[in-house]
Amino acid sequence: MTDTYLNLVNSGVTKKLAQQLGLPQPAPLRRYRAGTPLVDGPVLVLGRGKDADALAAVLAGPAGGAPGSTVLDGWDLDVHRHASPDTRYAAVVVVLTDVEHPDQLAGPVLATAGVLRGLARGGRVVTVSREATPDDAPALAAARQGVDGLLRSLAKELRGGATGNGVVLREGVPVTAPSTLGAVRFFLSARSAFVDGQLLTVDSDAGALPASWDRPLEGRVAVVTGAARGIGASIAATLARDGATVVAVDVPAAGEQLAAVANRVHGTALQLDVTAQDAGARILAHALQRHGRLDVVVHNAGITRDKLLANMTPDKWDSVLAVNIASQLRINEALLTSGDFADEPRIVSLASTSGIAGNRGQTNYAASKGGVIGMVRATAPLLVPFGGTANAVAPGFIETEMTARIPALTRQVARRLNSLQQGGQPVDVAEAVAFLASPAAGGIVGRTLRVCGQNMVGQ
């Protein structure tokens, strides 16, 4: 759905009027297009020590190294190591892994402050830090946890479609680990247009850098449920763009739309109610018979039946829980016990910011989506022995047929309640799903990534 207001405040007379009246002026976001560079301009890497040097070497190094390598396969970016207020930076990467006391934050953070006014439209700020743990000394824990607060606050200050996100490394994870580099690249890229104010933890050095950043899912077979329309159709298209063979799944009633999606992505269609007891077995059988393997499952199918809890009925409660979480649990169990879902498998489930912060009139939906977050956290360790992962993506306000039915004034308010002051697009969710399904996310385990423009609710 088109955001008419966004278009009006970015052109002609209405742009000047909005400026004079002090109205919100959301900027058009920089989204991924094939053939465009990772960033449009120089990248400033701040921080001292070997981690900052190593990451800068990858960003600046010549491209075309050996597939699966870390340092040899560089990104060929124009990397600066010292801030210049006269340079218009496309991105700033702040490496804080060696910070041991809050006093040590001042240098790199204030150096960042000195270049923010000149940050390019659609620019990126990415922090790389270590996870705070209960075993840390108080000063160390304070410094590491402080990065969380400063990053989220900084993201709320950025303008012009710029975003701020952080990569948090667990102890022992190298700054050049595949998933560290994968997360940094995702946050720098236009693929993360509607991800803002988020910190994504890298749990291990598992995973691998893809032979091609443009087609990281080459040779993989992916199932997408709820694929006939909206976010599901966009996920199917994005996974196919990244090289995957896609099995598009939806209910028989959506058969015509489902076939159209499958044809567009050169995949296959499977008409199936995900709440069926044998849904997992049928999904696996279809993938094996038609494509010889199954590597990625994206649980996107979901419904809403909104009512205040005082007015909730059993049918509205039960149907939402059945589709949104019980079906996923049943399908996952079938896959995990089959022996045929064991080659670095990926499960990516759609949660929601409602499952994190709650939403009036959505106790059933929020319970189901909170359940998804708990499910991936508990399922992920079961996949680790096979080199696999389970993670979730939690969308905020996304422009879909469902949100188009919201009353006009409520819809406008919902669009502006995030740092980017606009709704996301289905492709924004799809890009996050595609990243978490990729080899480069193999060290990200049981996490939930919000795609919400830094919505003003929740974490």
Side-chain angles (χ1 to χ4, degrees), residues 143-354:
R144 290 177 170 178
Q145 194 64 44
V147 176
D148 183 306
L150 79 86
L151 183 279
R152 294 185 194 277
S153 298
L154 169 59
K156 293 181 177 181
E157 297 177 5
L158 299 174
R159 293 293 179 264
T163 63
N165 293 289
V167 181
V168 180
L169 310 183
R170 298 197 76 173
E171 203 63 50
V173 176
V175 75
T176 53
S179 293
T180 307
L181 297 179
V184 169
R185 189 177 179 99
F186 174 71
F187 286 143
L188 287 177
S189 76
R191 298 172 190 253
S192 62
F194 199 59
V195 181
D196 195 19
Q198 303 306 306
L199 292 112
L200 184 61
T201 298
V202 178
D203 298 278
S204 77
D205 61 358
L209 299 185
S212 166
W213 286 106
D214 291 327
R215 294 180 65 81
L217 296 174
E218 194 73 59
R220 306 284 276 175
V221 175
V223 163
V224 181
T225 67
R229 61 179 67 83
I231 291 173
S234 187
I235 291 171
T238 302
L239 296 181
R241 179 204 68 192
D242 284 0
T245 298
V246 174
V247 177
V249 177
D250 216 314
V251 292
E256 186 174 340
Q257 290 174 293
L258 183 67
V261 170
N263 289 335
R264 281 200 302 272
V265 302
H266 306 291
T268 57
L270 174 61
Q271 296 184 21
L272 172 70
D273 182 346
V274 294
T275 65
Q277 292 294 318
D278 63 346
R282 290 178 60 188
I283 286 171
L284 183 60
H286 177 99
L288 294 178
Q289 291 168 10
R290 298 295 296 273
H291 308 294
R293 59 188 296 134
L294 178 59
D295 305 292
V296 177
V297 173
V298 180
H299 291 295
N300 167 73
I303 62 172
T304 57
R305 298 289 185 270
D306 295 353
K307 282 287 182 182
L308 294 176
L309 185 57
N311 301 322
M312 186 66 66
T313 58
D315 62 311
K316 287 183 170 56
W317 180 273
D318 293 343
S319 60
V320 169
L321 273 291
V323 174
N324 294 5
I325 182 61
S327 67
Q328 296 189 26
L329 288 164
R330 192 178 301 112
I331 290 169
N332 288 350
E333 183 177 6
L335 296 177
L336 289 169
T337 57
S338 69
D340 292 310
F341 190 61
D343 184 8
E344 300 181 2
R346 299 283 188 269
I347 293 174
V348 186
S349 293
L350 270 289
S352 169
T353 54
S354 293

Side-chain angles (χ1 to χ4, degrees), residues 40-136:
D40 294 320
V43 177
L44 175 63
V45 178
L46 295 171
R48 297 181 298 177
K50 62 181 182 180
D51 282 352
D53 292 341
L55 188 56
V58 175
L59 271 60
S69 67
T70 53
V71 177
L72 291 179
D73 191 10
W75 300 352
D76 203 20
L77 303 179
D78 178 12
V79 172
H80 297 196
R81 293 290 277 119
H82 300 284
S84 169
D86 299 324
T87 302
R88 190 171 181 79
Y89 292 105
V92 182
V93 179
V94 190
V95 183
L96 301 168
T97 52
D98 65 343
V99 170
E100 297 181 343
H101 191 282
D103 290 348
Q104 297 172 341
L105 291 171
V109 171
L110 295 180
T112 303
V115 300
L116 287 181
R117 292 186 185 278
L119 189 67
R121 290 181 69 82
R124 300 287 189 262
V125 177
V126 180
T127 60
V128 182
S129 59
R130 292 278 172 196
E131 182 183 46
T133 72
D135 295 331
D136 291 337

